[in-house]
Coordinates of all heavy atoms in Angstrom, one line a residue:
M179 N -11.5 -3.3 -17.0 CA -10.4 -2.3 -16.9 C -11.0 -1.0 -16.3 O -12.0 -0.5 -16.7 CB -9.9 -2.1 -18.3 CG -8.7 -1.2 -18.3 SD -8.0 -1.2 -20.0 CE -7.0 0.2 -19.9
R180 N -10.2 -0.5 -15.3 CA -10.6 0.7 -14.6 C -10.2 1.9 -15.4 O -9.1 2.0 -16.1 CB -9.9 0.8 -13.3 CG -10.6 -0.1 -12.3 CD -10.0 0.2 -10.9 NE -10.6 -0.5 -9.9 CZ -10.6 -1.8 -9.7 NH1 -9.9 -2.5 -10.5 NH2 -11.2 -2.3 -8.7
K181 N -11.0 3.0 -15.4 CA -10.7 4.2 -16.0 C -9.6 4.9 -15.1 O -9.6 4.8 -13.9 CB -11.9 5.1 -16.1 CG -12.9 4.6 -17.0 CD -14.0 5.7 -17.2 CE -15.1 5.4 -16.2 NZ -16.2 6.3 -16.3
K182 N -8.7 5.7 -15.8 CA -7.7 6.5 -15.1 C -8.4 7.4 -14.2 O -9.4 8.1 -14.5 CB -6.8 7.2 -16.1 CG -5.7 7.9 -15.4 CD -4.7 8.4 -16.4 CE -3.6 9.1 -15.6 NZ -2.4 9.3 -16.3
G183 N -7.9 7.5 -12.9 CA -8.5 8.4 -12.0 C -9.6 7.8 -11.1 O -10.1 8.4 -10.2
T184 N -9.9 6.5 -11.3 CA -10.8 5.8 -10.5 C -10.2 5.3 -9.2 O -9.2 4.5 -9.3 CB -11.5 4.6 -11.3 OG1 -12.0 5.1 -12.5 CG2 -12.5 3.9 -10.4
R185 N -10.6 5.8 -8.1 CA -10.0 5.4 -6.8 C -10.3 4.0 -6.4 O -11.5 3.6 -6.6 CB -10.4 6.3 -5.7 CG -9.8 7.7 -5.9 CD -10.3 8.6 -4.8 NE -9.8 10.0 -5.0 CZ -8.9 10.5 -4.3 NH1 -8.4 9.9 -3.3 NH2 -8.5 11.8 -4.6
T186 N -9.4 3.2 -5.9 CA -9.6 1.9 -5.5 C -8.9 1.7 -4.1 O -7.7 2.2 -3.9 CB -9.0 0.9 -6.5 OG1 -9.5 1.1 -7.8 CG2 -9.2 -0.5 -6.1
A187 N -9.5 1.0 -3.2 CA -8.9 0.7 -1.9 C -7.9 -0.5 -2.1 O -8.3 -1.5 -2.7 CB -10.0 0.4 -0.9
Y188 N -6.8 -0.3 -1.5 CA -5.8 -1.4 -1.5 C -5.2 -1.7 -0.1 O -5.2 -0.8 0.8 CB -4.6 -1.0 -2.3 CG -4.7 -1.2 -3.8 CD1 -5.3 -0.2 -4.6 CD2 -4.4 -2.4 -4.4 CE1 -5.5 -0.4 -6.0 CE2 -4.6 -2.6 -5.8 CZ -5.1 -1.6 -6.5 OH -5.3 -1.8 -7.9
R189 N -4.8 -2.9 0.1 CA -4.1 -3.3 1.3 C -2.7 -3.8 0.8 O -2.7 -4.7 0.0 CB -4.8 -4.4 2.1 CG -4.0 -4.8 3.3 CD -4.6 -6.0 4.1 NE -5.9 -5.5 4.7 CZ -7.0 -6.1 4.5 NH1 -7.1 -7.2 3.8 NH2 -8.1 -5.6 5.1
I190 N -1.7 -3.2 1.3 CA -0.3 -3.5 0.9 C 0.4 -3.9 2.2 O 0.4 -3.2 3.2 CB 0.4 -2.3 0.3 CG1 -0.4 -1.9 -1.0 CG2 1.8 -2.7 -0.1 CD1 0.0 -0.5 -1.6
V191 N 1.1 -5.1 2.2 CA 1.8 -5.6 3.3 C 3.2 -5.8 3.0 O 3.6 -6.3 2.0 CB 1.2 -7.0 3.8 CG1 1.9 -7.5 5.0 CG2 -0.3 -6.9 4.0
V192 N 4.1 -5.2 3.9 CA 5.5 -5.3 3.8 C 6.1 -6.0 5.1 O 5.5 -5.8 6.2 CB 6.2 -4.0 3.5 CG1 5.7 -3.4 2.2 CG2 6.0 -3.0 4.7
L193 N 7.2 -6.6 4.9 CA 7.9 -7.2 6.1 C 8.6 -6.1 6.8 O 9.3 -5.2 6.2 CB 8.9 -8.3 5.6 CG 9.6 -9.1 6.7 CD1 8.5 -9.8 7.5 CD2 10.5 -10.0 6.1
G194 N 8.5 -6.1 8.1 CA 9.2 -5.1 9.0 C 8.2 -4.0 9.5 O 7.1 -3.9 9.0
E195 N 8.7 -3.3 10.5 CA 7.9 -2.2 11.1 C 8.5 -0.9 10.7 O 9.7 -0.6 10.8 CB 8.0 -2.4 12.6 CG 7.4 -3.7 13.1 CD 7.4 -3.8 14.6 OE1 7.6 -2.8 15.3 OE2 7.1 -4.9 15.1
L196 N 7.6 0.0 10.1 CA 8.1 1.3 9.7 C 8.1 2.3 10.9 O 7.1 2.3 11.7 CB 7.1 1.9 8.7 CG 7.1 1.2 7.3 CD1 6.1 1.9 6.4 CD2 8.5 1.3 6.6
S197 N 9.1 3.1 11.0 CA 9.2 4.1 12.0 C 8.2 5.2 11.5 O 7.7 5.2 10.4 CB 10.6 4.7 12.1 OG 10.9 5.4 10.9
D198 N 7.8 6.1 12.4 CA 6.9 7.2 12.1 C 7.4 8.0 10.9 O 6.7 8.5 10.1 CB 6.6 8.1 13.3 CG 5.8 7.4 14.4 OD1 5.1 6.4 14.1 OD2 5.9 7.8 15.5
R199 N 8.7 8.2 10.9 CA 9.4 9.0 9.9 C 9.1 8.4 8.5 O 8.8 9.1 7.5 CB 10.9 9.1 10.1 CG 11.6 9.8 9.1 CD 13.1 9.9 9.4 NE 13.8 10.4 8.4 CZ 15.1 10.3 8.2 NH1 15.8 9.6 9.1 NH2 15.7 10.8 7.2
Y200 N 9.3 7.1 8.4 CA 9.1 6.4 7.1 C 7.6 6.2 6.8 O 7.2 6.3 5.6 CB 9.8 5.0 7.1 CG 11.3 5.2 7.0 CD1 12.1 4.6 7.9 CD2 11.9 5.9 6.0 CE1 13.5 4.7 7.9 CE2 13.3 6.1 5.9 CZ 14.1 5.4 6.8 OH 15.4 5.6 6.8
A201 N 6.8 6.0 7.8 CA 5.4 5.9 7.6 C 4.8 7.2 7.0 O 3.9 7.1 6.2 CB 4.7 5.6 8.9
A202 N 5.4 8.3 7.3 CA 5.0 9.6 6.7 C 5.1 9.6 5.2 O 4.5 10.4 4.5 CB 5.7 10.8 7.3
S203 N 6.0 8.7 4.6 CA 6.2 8.6 3.2 C 4.9 8.1 2.5 O 4.8 8.3 1.3 CB 7.3 7.7 2.9 OG 8.5 8.1 3.4
F204 N 4.0 7.6 3.3 CA 2.8 7.0 2.7 C 1.6 7.8 3.2 O 0.6 7.2 3.6 CB 2.7 5.5 3.1 CG 3.9 4.7 2.6 CD1 4.9 4.4 3.5 CD2 4.0 4.3 1.3 CE1 6.0 3.7 3.1 CE2 5.1 3.6 0.9 CZ 6.1 3.3 1.8
E205 N 1.7 9.1 3.0 CA 0.6 10.0 3.4 C -0.7 9.6 2.8 O -0.8 9.2 1.6 CB 1.0 11.4 3.0 CG 0.0 12.5 3.4 CD 0.4 13.8 2.9 OE1 1.6 14.1 2.7 OE2 -0.5 14.7 2.8
G206 N -1.8 9.6 3.5 CA -3.1 9.2 3.0 C -3.4 7.8 3.2 O -4.5 7.4 3.1
M207 N -2.4 7.0 3.6 CA -2.6 5.6 3.9 C -2.7 5.3 5.4 O -1.9 6.0 6.1 CB -1.5 4.7 3.3 CG -1.3 4.9 1.8 SD -2.6 4.2 0.8 CE -2.1 2.5 0.8
Q208 N -3.5 4.4 5.8 CA -3.5 4.0 7.2 C -2.4 3.1 7.4 O -2.2 2.1 6.6 CB -4.9 3.4 7.5 CG -4.9 2.9 9.0 CD -6.3 2.2 9.2 OE1 -7.2 2.2 8.4 NE2 -6.3 1.5 10.4
V209 N -1.6 3.3 8.4 CA -0.4 2.4 8.7 C -0.6 1.7 10.0 O -0.9 2.2 11.0 CB 0.9 3.3 8.8 CG1 2.1 2.4 9.0 CG2 1.1 4.1 7.5
E210 N -0.6 0.3 9.9 CA -0.7 -0.5 11.1 C 0.4 -1.5 11.1 O 0.8 -2.1 10.1 CB -2.1 -1.3 10.9 CG -2.4 -2.3 12.0 CD -3.6 -3.1 11.7 OE1 -4.3 -2.8 10.7 OE2 -3.9 -4.0 12.5
T211 N 0.9 -1.7 12.3 CA 2.0 -2.7 12.5 C 1.5 -3.9 13.3 O 0.8 -3.7 14.3 CB 3.2 -2.1 13.2 OG1 3.7 -0.9 12.5 CG2 4.3 -3.0 13.4
K212 N 1.7 -5.1 12.7 CA 1.2 -6.3 13.4 C 2.2 -7.5 13.0 O 2.5 -7.7 11.8 CB -0.2 -6.6 12.9 CG -0.9 -7.7 13.6 CD -2.2 -8.1 13.0 CE -3.2 -7.1 13.1 NZ -4.5 -7.6 12.5
N213 N 2.6 -8.2 14.0 CA 3.5 -9.4 13.8 C 4.7 -9.1 12.9 O 4.9 -9.8 11.9 CB 2.6 -10.5 13.2 CG 1.5 -10.9 14.1 OD1 1.7 -10.9 15.3 ND2 0.4 -11.3 13.6
R214 N 5.4 -8.0 13.2 CA 6.6 -7.7 12.4 C 6.3 -7.3 11.0 O 7.2 -7.5 10.1 CB 7.7 -8.7 12.5 CG 8.2 -8.9 13.9 CD 9.3 -9.9 14.0 NE 9.0 -11.0 13.1 CZ 9.7 -12.1 13.0 NH1 10.7 -12.3 13.8 NH2 9.4 -13.1 12.2
R215 N 5.1 -6.9 10.7 CA 4.7 -6.6 9.3 C 4.0 -5.2 9.4 O 3.4 -4.9 10.4 CB 3.7 -7.6 8.7 CG 4.4 -8.9 8.5 CD 3.4 -9.9 8.0 NE 4.2 -11.2 7.8 CZ 3.7 -12.2 7.3 NH1 2.4 -12.3 7.0 NH2 4.4 -13.3 7.2
T216 N 4.1 -4.5 8.3 CA 3.4 -3.2 8.3 C 2.3 -3.3 7.2 O 2.6 -3.8 6.1 CB 4.4 -2.0 7.9 OG1 5.4 -1.9 8.9 CG2 3.7 -0.7 7.7
I217 N 1.1 -2.9 7.5 CA 0.0 -3.0 6.6 C -0.4 -1.6 6.3 O -0.7 -0.7 7.2 CB -1.2 -3.7 7.3 CG1 -0.7 -5.1 7.8 CG2 -2.4 -3.8 6.4 CD1 -1.6 -5.8 8.8
L218 N -0.4 -1.3 5.0 CA -0.8 0.0 4.5 C -2.2 -0.1 3.8 O -2.3 -1.0 2.9 CB 0.2 0.6 3.4 CG 1.7 0.7 3.9 CD1 2.6 0.9 2.7 CD2 1.8 1.8 4.9
T219 N -3.1 0.6 4.3 CA -4.5 0.5 3.7 C -5.0 1.9 3.3 O -4.8 2.8 4.1 CB -5.4 -0.1 4.7 OG1 -4.9 -1.3 5.2 CG2 -6.8 -0.4 4.1
G220 N -5.5 2.0 2.2 CA -6.1 3.3 1.8 C -6.5 3.3 0.3 O -6.3 2.3 -0.4
E221 N -7.0 4.5 -0.1 CA -7.4 4.6 -1.5 C -6.2 5.0 -2.4 O -5.4 5.9 -2.0 CB -8.5 5.7 -1.6 CG -9.8 5.2 -1.1 CD -10.9 6.2 -1.5 OE1 -10.7 7.4 -1.8 OE2 -12.1 5.7 -1.5
V222 N -6.2 4.4 -3.5 CA -5.2 4.7 -4.5 C -5.9 5.3 -5.7 O -6.9 4.7 -6.2 CB -4.4 3.4 -4.9 CG1 -3.4 3.6 -6.0 CG2 -3.7 2.8 -3.7
M223 N -5.4 6.4 -6.2 CA -6.1 7.1 -7.3 C -6.2 6.4 -8.6 O -7.2 6.4 -9.3 CB -5.5 8.5 -7.5 CG -5.8 9.4 -6.3 SD -5.2 11.1 -6.6 CE -3.5 10.9 -6.8
D224 N -5.0 5.8 -9.0 CA -4.9 5.1 -10.2 C -3.7 4.2 -10.2 O -3.0 4.1 -9.2 CB -5.0 6.0 -11.4 CG -3.9 7.1 -11.3 OD1 -2.8 6.8 -10.7 OD2 -4.1 8.2 -11.9
Q225 N -3.4 3.5 -11.3 CA -2.3 2.6 -11.4 C -1.0 3.4 -11.2 O 0.0 2.8 -10.6 CB -2.3 1.8 -12.7 CG -3.4 0.8 -12.8 CD -3.2 -0.3 -11.8 OE1 -2.2 -1.0 -11.8 NE2 -4.1 -0.5 -10.9
S226 N -0.9 4.6 -11.7 CA 0.3 5.4 -11.6 C 0.6 5.6 -10.1 O 1.8 5.5 -9.7 CB 0.2 6.7 -12.4 OG 1.3 7.5 -12.2
H227 N -0.4 6.0 -9.4 CA -0.3 6.2 -7.9 C 0.2 4.9 -7.2 O 1.0 5.0 -6.4 CB -1.6 6.7 -7.4 CG -1.6 7.1 -6.0 ND1 -2.8 7.1 -5.2 CD2 -0.6 7.4 -5.1 CE1 -2.5 7.4 -4.0 NE2 -1.2 7.7 -3.9
L228 N -0.4 3.8 -7.6 CA 0.0 2.5 -7.0 C 1.4 2.2 -7.3 O 2.2 1.8 -6.4 CB -0.9 1.4 -7.5 CG -0.6 0.0 -7.1 CD1 -0.7 -0.1 -5.6 CD2 -1.5 -1.1 -7.8
H229 N 1.9 2.4 -8.5 CA 3.3 2.2 -8.8 C 4.2 3.1 -8.1 O 5.3 2.7 -7.7 CB 3.5 2.3 -10.3 CG 2.9 1.1 -11.1 ND1 3.7 -0.1 -11.2 CD2 1.7 0.9 -11.6 CE1 2.9 -0.9 -11.9 NE2 1.8 -0.4 -12.2
G230 N 3.7 4.3 -7.8 CA 4.5 5.3 -7.0 C 4.7 4.8 -5.6 O 5.8 4.8 -5.0
I231 N 3.6 4.2 -5.0 CA 3.7 3.6 -3.6 C 4.7 2.5 -3.6 O 5.5 2.3 -2.8 CB 2.3 3.2 -3.1 CG1 1.4 4.5 -2.9 CG2 2.4 2.4 -1.9 CD1 0.0 4.2 -2.7
L232 N 4.5 1.6 -4.6 CA 5.4 0.4 -4.7 C 6.9 0.8 -4.9 O 7.8 0.2 -4.4 CB 4.9 -0.5 -5.8 CG 3.5 -1.1 -5.6 CD1 3.1 -1.9 -6.8 CD2 3.5 -1.9 -4.3
S233 N 7.1 1.9 -5.6 CA 8.4 2.4 -5.8 C 9.0 2.9 -4.5 O 10.2 2.7 -4.2 CB 8.4 3.5 -6.9 OG 9.7 4.0 -7.1
R234 N 8.2 3.6 -3.7 CA 8.7 4.0 -2.4 C 9.0 2.9 -1.5 O 10.0 2.9 -0.8 CB 7.6 4.9 -1.7 CG 7.8 6.3 -2.0 CD 6.7 7.2 -1.3 NE 5.8 7.5 -2.4 CZ 4.5 7.6 -2.3 NH1 3.9 7.4 -1.1 NH2 3.8 7.9 -3.3
I235 N 8.2 1.8 -1.6 CA 8.5 0.6 -0.8 C 9.9 0.0 -1.2 O 10.7 -0.3 -0.4 CB 7.4 -0.4 -1.0 CG1 6.1 0.0 -0.2 CG2 7.8 -1.8 -0.5 CD1 4.9 -0.7 -0.5
N236 N 10.1 0.0 -2.5 CA 11.3 -0.5 -3.1 C 12.5 0.4 -2.6 O 13.6 -0.1 -2.3 CB 11.3 -0.6 -4.6 CG 12.5 -1.2 -5.2 OD1 12.9 -2.3 -4.8 ND2 13.1 -0.6 -6.2
G237 N 12.3 1.7 -2.7 CA 13.4 2.6 -2.3 C 13.8 2.5 -0.9 O 14.9 2.8 -0.5
L238 N 12.8 2.1 0.0 CA 13.1 2.0 1.4 C 13.6 0.6 1.7 O 13.9 0.2 2.8 CB 11.8 2.2 2.2 CG 11.3 3.6 2.3 CD1 9.9 3.7 2.9 CD2 12.3 4.5 3.0
E239 N 13.8 -0.2 0.6 CA 14.3 -1.6 0.7 C 13.5 -2.5 1.6 O 14.0 -3.3 2.3 CB 15.8 -1.6 1.1 CG 16.7 -0.9 0.1 CD 18.1 -0.9 0.5 OE1 18.5 -1.4 1.5 OE2 18.9 -0.3 -0.4
L240 N 12.2 -2.3 1.5 CA 11.3 -3.2 2.2 C 10.9 -4.4 1.4 O 10.8 -4.3 0.2 CB 10.0 -2.4 2.6 CG 10.2 -1.2 3.5 CD1 9.0 -0.3 3.6 CD2 10.6 -1.6 4.9
R241 N 10.6 -5.5 2.0 CA 10.2 -6.7 1.3 C 8.7 -6.7 1.2 O 8.0 -6.7 2.2 CB 10.7 -7.9 2.1 CG 10.3 -9.2 1.3 CD 11.0 -10.4 2.0 NE 10.4 -11.6 1.4 CZ 10.2 -12.7 2.1 NH1 10.6 -12.8 3.3 NH2 9.7 -13.7 1.5
L242 N 8.2 -6.6 -0.1 CA 6.8 -6.6 -0.4 C 6.3 -8.0 -0.2 O 6.8 -8.9 -0.8 CB 6.6 -6.1 -1.8 CG 5.2 -6.0 -2.3 CD1 4.4 -5.0 -1.5 CD2 5.2 -5.7 -3.8
L243 N 5.2 -8.1 0.6 CA 4.6 -9.4 0.9 C 3.3 -9.6 0.1 O 3.0 -10.7 -0.4 CB 4.3 -9.7 2.4 CG 5.6 -9.7 3.2 CD1 5.2 -9.8 4.7 CD2 6.5 -10.8 2.8
S244 N 2.5 -8.6 0.0 CA 1.3 -8.7 -0.8 C 0.7 -7.3 -1.1 O 0.9 -6.3 -0.5 CB 0.2 -9.5 0.0 OG -0.2 -8.8 1.1
V245 N -0.1 -7.3 -2.2 CA -0.9 -6.2 -2.7 C -2.3 -6.7 -3.0 O -2.4 -7.6 -3.8 CB -0.3 -5.5 -3.9 CG1 -1.1 -4.4 -4.4 CG2 1.2 -5.1 -3.7
Q246 N -3.2 -6.2 -2.3 CA -4.6 -6.7 -2.4 C -5.6 -5.5 -2.7 O -5.6 -4.5 -2.0 CB -5.1 -7.4 -1.1 CG -6.4 -7.9 -1.2 CD -6.8 -8.6 0.2 OE1 -6.1 -8.4 1.2 NE2 -8.0 -9.2 0.2
D247 N -6.3 -5.7 -3.8 CA -7.3 -4.8 -4.2 C -8.6 -5.1 -3.3 O -9.1 -6.2 -3.3 CB -7.7 -5.0 -5.7 CG -8.7 -4.2 -6.3 OD1 -9.6 -3.6 -5.5 OD2 -8.8 -4.0 -7.5
L248 N -9.0 -4.1 -2.6 CA -10.1 -4.3 -1.7 C -11.5 -3.9 -2.2 O -12.5 -4.0 -1.6 CB -9.9 -3.5 -0.4 CG -8.6 -3.9 0.4 CD1 -8.5 -3.0 1.6 CD2 -8.7 -5.4 0.8
S249 N -11.5 -3.5 -3.5 CA -12.8 -3.0 -4.1 C -13.7 -4.2 -4.3 O -13.3 -5.4 -4.5 CB -12.6 -2.4 -5.4 OG -12.1 -3.3 -6.4
E250 N -15.0 -3.9 -4.2 CA -16.0 -5.0 -4.4 C -15.9 -5.6 -5.8 O -16.2 -6.7 -6.0 CB -17.4 -4.4 -4.1 CG -17.7 -4.1 -2.7 CD -19.1 -3.7 -2.4 OE1 -20.0 -4.1 -3.2 OE2 -19.3 -3.0 -1.4
E251 N -15.5 -4.8 -6.8 CA -15.4 -5.2 -8.1 C -14.4 -6.4 -8.3 O -14.6 -7.2 -9.1 CB -15.0 -4.0 -9.0 CG -14.9 -4.3 -10.5 CD -14.5 -3.1 -11.2 OE1 -15.2 -2.1 -11.1 OE2 -13.5 -3.2 -11.9
S252 N -13.4 -6.4 -7.4 CA -12.4 -7.4 -7.6 C -12.7 -8.7 -6.9 O -12.1 -9.7 -7.1 CB -11.0 -6.9 -7.0 OG -11.1 -6.9 -5.6
R253 N -13.8 -8.7 -6.1 CA -14.2 -9.9 -5.4 C -15.0 -10.8 -6.2 O -15.8 -10.6 -7.0 CB -14.9 -9.5 -4.1 CG -14.0 -8.8 -3.1 CD -14.6 -8.5 -1.8 NE -13.8 -7.5 -1.2 CZ -14.2 -6.7 -0.4 NH1 -15.4 -6.6 0.0 NH2 -13.4 -5.8 0.2

């Protein structure tokens, strides 16, 4: 179990391409568009931060395809 405040790198994939305006909602995340999918990659401070990102995705009515923890600990 991770301690609160421990940063973890995540890759989050959603269906569709985000405009620059909507991509700005994910400040601090690298945004890449490929094959009609948007890939958000970056450090997430804690579970609360991750849930906030997922809530924004839901609010934009994007279809969530995957959430991947990229930390070495998860491999």
Side-chain angles (χ1 to χ4, degrees):
M179 183 171 165
R180 282 190 176 68
K181 291 187 267 183
K182 186 171 181 163
T184 303
R185 293 177 181 251
T186 303
Y188 278 89
R189 177 182 295 127
I190 302 169
V191 182
V192 297
L193 186 60
E195 298 181 11
L196 290 179
S197 68
D198 290 339
R199 178 179 172 200
Y200 289 124
S203 298
F204 301 99
E205 184 179 336
M207 303 289 281
Q208 178 182 351
V209 180
E210 177 185 357
T211 302
K212 188 191 291 187
N213 299 326
R214 296 183 320 191
R215 295 177 179 183
T216 298
I217 303 163
L218 304 167
T219 307
E221 284 192 340
V222 175
M223 291 186 294
D224 54 27
Q225 288 294 300
S226 178
H227 184 203
L228 176 61
H229 285 275
I231 292 168
L232 297 176
S233 180
R234 266 179 258 143
I235 288 169
N236 186 51
L238 293 171
E239 298 182 358
L240 298 168
R241 182 171 169 212
L242 181 64
L243 299 176
S244 68
V245 177
Q246 181 181 8
D247 179 340
L248 300 177
S249 68
E250 289 186 26
E251 183 179 303
S252 72
R253 293 183 197 154

